Amino acid sequence: MEEKKLSVINKPVRKKDAMSLLCGKPVYVDDITPSDCLIVKILHSPYAHALIEEINTAAAMKVPGIEAIYTYKDVPDNRFTMAGQTYPEASPYDRLILDQRVRFVGDAVAIVAGETEKAVDKALKLIKVKYQVLEPVLDFRKAKDEPILVHPEENWKALCPVGADNQRNLCASGVDEDGDLEGVMEACDIVLENTYHTKADSQAMMETFRTYTTIDTYGRLHVISSTQIVFHVRRILSNALGIPKSMIRVTKPRIGGGFGAKQSCVTEVFPAFVTWKTKKSAKLIYTRKESQTAGSPRHEMEMKVRLGAMKDGTIRAIDLYTLSNTGAYGEHGPTTVGLSGHKSIPLYNGNLEAFRFRYDVVYTNVQAAGAYRGYGATQGIFALESMVNELSDRISMDPAAIREKNMVREGQVAASYYNEQMNACALDRCVARAKEMFRWDEKPLAQDMGNGKIRAKGIAMAMQGSGISGMDVGSATIKLNDDGFYALSIGAADMGTGCDTTLAQIAAECLECSVDNIVVYGADSDSSPYDSGSYASSTTYVTGKAVEKACCELKERMTEIAAEMLGCSCEDLIVGPDAICTADGSKRVSLAAIAEKSMNGNTKAVQVTVTHSSPLSPPPFMAGMVELEVDKETGAVELLDYVAVVDCGTPINSNLVRVQTEGGLVQGIGMALYEDITYSSRGKIAENSLMQYKIPTRQDICKLRVDFESSYEKTGPFGAKSIGEIVINTPAPAIAHAIYNATGVWHRELPITPEKVLMGILSHEN
């Protein structure tokens, strides 16, 4: 397969939905929702921690057009998790649809359903709630073993042994280590130790959380939602509502962005409950404020890094402790934290003799966290890459050279990455190519421009994964149809990433045809083959391999039918774009004729379903370099140039991997410089709109230059690895490094705002 000249793979194929999106066709949840459905809204808690003593809905129910109002007294007492993860979920079952105890400002207090938005808004204001206000746990550094418990309930449960203990405010706790850490540290010339802090960034996707629900012809609950995880949603709703999974169907239309936010069931359960109770169609659309304050942002983390090295730059030992803030509920808490160590420490596998990775995940009374692109690796890489840059400064060694000396290389086994062997690793070539593009060796670390500004450069490396090894499942069904076109059915969710297109390219490459000859059907829990969902950078690597296998098997089936029709052996036949013919071209039968034959007196199915899972999660790698200027008088940081070189194996779509990279870089830049979440003393989020929560605009983004160094991952489709998450991981440490080079001040907390930069300059000068 490596020798074959590819005709569709690594080509700039246009996305299948490009024209419908460009022309503004009705493709999103609210576009396809009937106008006469019930409007559902949530009454949110004004307190970070409280018990509902009384709740009076009588006046609200008198509002004309109000269909129903539900409180904690009306919902099942079934604990569940909103995390979209493979069963048994690592995330604890700590939620109710509505609870008497509210755990953050924004927690759900009541569900209101009515005929019009105006009626629902009026009813929300008339609900009278008497709260017993409780002391909240707001400082995640003090949450562990704090006497105040976020989850004191007895029916809290953890399905997996992740070190969780709700009586200690612990969502997860653990340790992983290899080698004699303290012995190696003692033998090192230099031991550095520092603490780094990242905030709870919001995904800020364009389409907010939204769900439409209805009862179908057979009395089943049909959920149409902007989600990445149709099959997990079905299980979550079954758990929450206490109804059989067979009574639930989940589908997704086009998704207006997710970035991991929609790997949690943020809105699905509320209109689903309304519809199941009333048997009427309902929809819930979160406002931007609700998405910012009752969504599923990145986990806030504090990482303490201890690094042992020699004077020549050899890194021998790494000790990392991560404290993660899961907020009021435990969605993705036990799993995100693991990536902070397991996908940062292996970057320095080259000379590593010992490592230790410890972590605690704690409950607090703030907005519950969830999945966000990078999924914990982003936080850990910021910490470790910053520490390596600090080491390079300490020993006066070029920061690119120290990486070249210590980086993981192809063929190595990484104990800190689940003992996986790096069979496809072009990280060394990524760094080399980035240096060439950036002209790294020609530029000083910092240069005074003589106009009040300092120009400086910074560097970082990153890795991620390709699906969850031994767990994620991808499936594909491929069918030959009339006229000889193919129908590809998948359970993965295209959320703007273009997976419908990339998976069609894989199918087209296998079937020797045009991408236009592949019709793709998106995720439907009734008709699609099972897929874990679009998360963990799994779609291309895991589901793509299922597509490849299914197409190869379908070719065999079609060849058998063609051999019977042509009176020859299967070995003599070649599958082409519109026909199957003998090698010498003397005999041929069109795909359309084979399709017709398959429908008449045939016993060989021209439909194949293949399910695939991988015991490995081959990492993609990346090198990033930034050039920026710092204004010494204002602290303003202006980005000038960013070079990114990525190893994602074989790129499937050359356009899409580029825009994926550029989009991830922009999000990483936002995390580094602009995006901030702050809480009042009562636990209220200040940044509850895009006026306060600053994400980068086009004017904030510098020249982004992207390139790729391909490796060949033999377990992936046509040698592919993942691309979706790796690309967000280098901007924060690279920018922090460049700002240090410009100012002489290390910033170990994100975002690095102009105020922080200016205060750092002033304190450094004094």
Side-chain angles (χ1 to χ4, degrees):
M1 191 176 296
E2 292 181 69
E3 301 298 325
K4 176 182 178 294
K5 184 177 180 181
L6 302 175
S7 59
V8 181
I9 298 298
N10 201 9
K11 299 295 189 294
V13 175
R14 188 174 71 185
K15 285 178 62 180
K16 283 188 166 290
D17 59 359
M19 292 310 296
S20 63
L21 297 179
L22 183 65
C23 296
K25 300 293 185 183
V27 296
Y28 299 106
V29 170
D30 204 29
D31 296 328
I32 60 176
T33 300
S35 59
D36 60 349
C37 68
L38 293 176
I39 304 299
V40 177
K41 292 197 176 187
I42 305 301
L43 179 67
H44 298 281
S45 169
Y47 299 108
H49 197 192
L51 289 173
I52 300 172
E53 292 187 336
E54 297 176 16
I55 183 164
N56 189 329
T57 61
M61 279 300 301
K62 293 178 182 178
V63 174
I66 292 300
E67 175 73 24
I69 299 176
Y70 302 106
T71 72
Y72 72 91
K73 299 175 184 178
D74 305 308
V75 301
D77 188 27
N78 304 323
R79 293 281 168 187
F80 64 97
T81 177
M82 286 186 177
Q85 298 176 299
T86 298
Y87 181 86
E89 304 95 327
S91 300
Y93 281 27
D94 55 11
R95 290 239 191 203
L96 295 177
I97 299 174
L98 297 169
D99 203 331
Q100 186 176 9
R101 181 184 295 268
V102 289
R103 294 176 173 84
F104 71 98
V105 176
D107 208 351
V109 173
I111 307 169
V112 180
E115 296 174 358
T116 66
E117 188 170 5
K118 184 177 180 181
V120 173
D121 287 340
K122 184 175 181 180
L124 283 169
K125 296 175 183 176
L126 294 175
I127 298 174
K128 304 299 180 185
V129 187
K130 181 181 178 182
Y131 296 94
Q132 178 189 344
V133 180
L134 304 174
E135 187 72 22
V137 181
L138 298 178
D139 186 345
F140 77 119
R141 298 175 183 87
K142 300 178 180 177
K144 182 179 176 181
D145 294 324
E146 162 72 41
I148 301 168
L149 296 179
V150 178
H151 283 277
E153 64 270 14
E154 293 182 1
N155 60 350
W156 177 99
K157 61 181 178 180
L159 276 63
C160 298
V162 294
D165 187 345
N166 62 314
Q167 299 303 313
R168 300 180 62 198
N169 283 333
L170 271 178
C171 178
S173 182
V175 61
D176 184 24
E177 56 189 330
D178 184 72
D180 179 10
L181 181 79
E182 296 304 332
V184 176
M185 285 284 188
E186 191 173 335
C188 288
D189 296 332
I190 300 166
V191 176
L192 297 180
E193 185 171 355
N194 278 310
T195 300
Y196 303 86
H197 181 209
T198 60
K199 300 288 193 70
D201 305 296
S202 173
Q203 297 88 346
M205 59 280 173
M206 286 193 294
E207 184 194 31
T208 60
F209 300 99
R210 51 194 60 197
T211 302
Y212 165 66
T213 53
T214 190
I215 299 293
D216 71 11
T217 307
Y218 306 101
R220 300 169 71 222
L221 177 65
H222 184 191
V223 178
I224 299 145
S225 189
S226 183
T227 180
Q228 303 170 217
I229 44 160
V230 294
F231 289 98
H232 294 328
V233 170
R234 182 175 64 183
R235 180 182 68 252
I236 292 165
L237 291 177
S238 174
N239 290 340
L241 302 177
I243 63 176
K245 298 181 184 70
S246 61
M247 294 302 293
I248 303 170
R249 176 190 178 193
V250 183
T251 58
K252 71 146 205 81
R254 305 317 294 172
I255 301 176
F259 309 117
K262 295 169 183 175
Q263 197 191 333
S264 295
C265 277
V266 174
T267 53
E268 286 85 351
V269 68
F270 303 116
F273 181 74
V274 169
T275 292
W276 190 248
K277 295 287 285 186
T278 66
K279 306 306 177 189
K280 294 184 178 181
S281 300
K283 74 172 178 180
L284 170 58
I285 296 180
Y286 262 11
T287 63
R288 180 60 60 184
K289 179 179 178 180
E290 288 175 305
S291 292
Q292 292 293 120
T293 58
S296 55
R298 188 184 297 282
H299 286 74
E300 177 184 23
M301 291 187 187
E302 183 177 84
M303 291 137 292
K304 296 180 179 178
V305 184
R306 191 163 55 121
L307 186 148
M310 305 306 287
K311 292 178 181 178
D312 66 354
T314 302
I315 297 173
R316 299 176 60 189
I318 299 173
D319 186 13
L320 172 64
Y321 170 70
T322 300
L323 178 64
S324 178
N325 184 2
T326 196
Y329 300 97
E331 280 90 26
H332 302 280
T335 41
T336 51
V337 71
L339 275 65
S340 70
H342 291 304
K343 294 185 180 176
S344 60
I345 297 171
L347 280 168
Y348 293 94
N349 194 71
N351 303 299
L352 199 65
E353 299 172 45
F355 80 91
R356 180 174 64 184
F357 171 42
R358 297 170 298 136
Y359 57 84
D360 288 313
V361 184
V362 293
Y363 284 114
T364 59
N365 291 116
V366 300
Q367 177 182 204
Y372 185 3
R373 190 180 206 167
Y375 203 80
T378 313
Q379 297 95 306
I381 287 169
F382 167 67
L384 185 55
E385 284 297 277
S386 293
M387 177 60 93
V388 171
N389 283 329
E390 295 196 37
L391 173 65
S392 71
D393 180 70
R394 174 76 172 267
I395 62 176
S396 300
M397 185 174 183
D398 180 82
I402 201 170
R403 287 170 168 80
E404 291 167 334
K405 187 180 185 68
N406 293 285
M407 70 172 65
V408 63
R409 294 180 183 268
E410 191 160 287
Q412 291 184 346
V413 174
S416 54
Y417 191 67
Y418 319 107
N419 290 305
E420 280 196 26
Q421 185 171 23
M422 304 294 107
N423 294 317
C425 175
L427 181 57
D428 54 346
R429 288 187 278 121
C430 288
V431 172
R433 176 62 178 141
K435 287 175 65 177
E436 178 187 350
M437 292 173 63
F438 192 83
R439 294 189 294 115
W440 176 268
D441 292 333
E442 301 172 29
K443 298 178 180 179
L445 288 174
Q447 179 182 1
D448 193 324
M449 304 306 293
N451 58 355
K453 296 182 179 180
I454 306 292
R455 182 172 296 183
K457 64 180 182 179
I459 184 175
M461 302 189 307
M463 62 178 285
Q464 195 73 37
S466 299
I468 304 173
S469 56
M471 182 174 291
D472 279 349
V473 169
S475 302
T477 298
I478 186 76
K479 178 173 65 171
L480 177 68
N481 282 310
D482 307 49
D483 290 341
F485 74 94
Y486 300 98
L488 175 63
S489 179
I490 56 174
D494 191 329
M495 50 182 165
T497 52
C499 75
D500 285 359
T501 306
T502 55
L503 294 176
Q505 285 180 256
I506 293 170
E509 191 69 56
C510 292
L511 295 167
E512 313 278 351
C513 69
S514 164
V515 174
D516 293 335
N517 215 35
I518 310 289
V519 176
V520 182
Y521 293 94
D524 182 331
S525 66
D526 270 8
S527 59
S528 298
Y530 178 79
D531 196 288
S532 301
S534 295
Y535 61 87
S537 298
S538 64
T539 305
T540 296
Y541 175 71
V542 179
T543 307
K545 194 65 177 180
V547 171
E548 182 185 29
K549 288 180 174 180
C551 291
C552 290
E553 190 173 331
L554 179 63
K555 286 173 70 173
E556 293 177 5
R557 300 265 188 97
M558 294 191 304
T559 301
E560 290 173 6
I561 295 174
E564 292 178 2
M565 296 174 71
L566 296 174
C568 61
S569 68
C570 294
E571 290 74 20
D572 294 334
L573 297 178
I574 298 172
V575 178
D578 56 6
I580 295 179
C581 59
T582 56
D584 61 8
S586 61
K587 295 181 179 181
R588 73 186 302 274
V589 59
S590 69
L591 296 183
I594 295 172
E596 290 172 2
K597 173 61 180 173
S598 73
M599 301 172 188
N600 185 2
N602 172 58
T603 58
K604 294 183 177 68
V606 285
Q607 175 173 309
V608 173
T609 298
V610 167
T611 294
H612 175 71
S613 186
S614 175
L616 305 174
S617 179
F621 296 95
M622 178 182 182
M625 295 177 180
V626 67
E627 186 172 40
L628 54 77
E629 284 186 351
V630 175
D631 189 317
K632 293 188 291 185
E633 291 187 359
T634 66
V637 175
E638 180 184 2
L639 300 183
L640 303 176
D641 186 25
Y642 201 102
V643 166
V645 182
V646 185
D647 162 24
C648 60
T650 302
I652 300 297
N653 186 305
S654 56
N655 273 356
L656 292 179
V657 293
R658 185 170 299 277
V659 297
Q660 281 268 26
T661 305
E662 291 172 351
L665 291 175
V666 171
Q667 288 181 310
I669 290 167
M671 180 180 178
L673 294 176
Y674 307 108
E675 300 177 41
D676 200 4
I677 292 288
T678 59
Y679 288 91
S680 71
S681 59
R682 296 174 56 196
K684 185 176 181 179
I685 292 177
E687 296 77 15
N688 61 12
S689 78
L690 295 184
M691 290 294 289
Q692 287 80 31
Y693 187 79
K694 303 295 185 181
I695 60 176
T697 69
R698 187 64 191 89
Q699 292 179 323
D700 299 312
I701 301 306
C702 60
K703 179 170 57 177
L704 302 178
R705 295 189 287 147
V706 174
D707 204 358
F708 298 89
E709 283 290 336
S710 297
S711 60
Y712 189 90
E713 175 50 55
K714 61 183 179 182
T715 63
F718 297 98
K721 299 188 289 188
S722 74
I723 184 69
E725 294 183 275
I726 175 69
V727 291
I728 197 174
N729 291 334
T730 59
I735 289 170
H737 182 215
I739 291 174
Y740 168 76
N741 289 330
T743 65
V745 178
W746 289 110
H747 291 272
R748 302 186 181 101
E749 180 183 79
L750 301 179
I752 310 172
T753 61
E755 293 84 354
K756 292 178 182 177
V757 174
L758 182 59
M759 295 305 293
I761 292 172
L762 294 175
S763 63
H764 183 65
E765 290 176 349
N766 294 331

